[in-house]
Amino acid sequence: MNVLTPKPSVSAQLLQKYRLDIVGGKYPPGGQFPTVRALAYEESVNPNTMQRAMSQLEGEGLRITNRTAGRTVTEDITVLEQLRLRL
C-alpha cells in the first residue's frame, strides 16, 4: 500500500475473507452459514459491518437465504467456478 491507495474498508476485507473461505471449502456448497451476529462476534466487529459484507455475498449469489433453513452457501457450481477464476 502506498499513500495514494486507500486501505480497503473493514466490510470489504471481511467480504474477501468469506469469499476465500467459500472457495477454500470452509463453507461447502449448500452448507449452513453462521448468523451475522455469530460472525461479528467471531471477528470482533460491529454486526452492521458484518451485515454489509454478508449483503454483498448475497448480491454476488454466494450466500442464499432460505425461509426455513436460514442462510446457506450457494449450490450453483457456475457461480462458485466464476469466483474461483476471479480469485
Side-chain angles (χ1 to χ4, degrees):
M1 292 265 151
N2 63 35
V3 178
L4 299 176
T5 307
K7 184 177 179 182
S9 68
V10 173
S11 62
Q13 292 173 41
L14 291 167
L15 174 61
Q16 187 65 8
K17 177 194 183 307
Y18 289 107
R19 284 177 181 148
L20 291 169
D21 285 349
I22 290 169
V23 168
K26 181 175 180 181
Y27 302 109
Q32 193 71 28
F33 217 89
T35 66
V36 168
R37 289 197 180 277
L39 291 171
Y41 179 79
E42 182 180 305
E43 298 292 334
S44 300
V45 298
N46 186 296
N48 293 329
T49 302
M50 185 59 73
Q51 180 58 47
R52 277 193 292 281
M54 294 299 105
S55 292
Q56 186 68 28
L57 279 180
E58 287 186 19
E60 293 177 4
L62 296 170
R63 183 172 170 236
I64 308 298
T65 300
N66 301 305
R67 287 183 4 158
T68 57
R71 286 164 175 80
T72 59
V73 176
T74 185
E75 294 182 86
D76 187 340
I77 301 303
T78 305
V79 171
L80 294 171
E81 276 304 312
Q82 289 174 349
L83 176 62
R84 279 189 188 91
L85 292 173
R86 275 192 303 158
L87 297 176

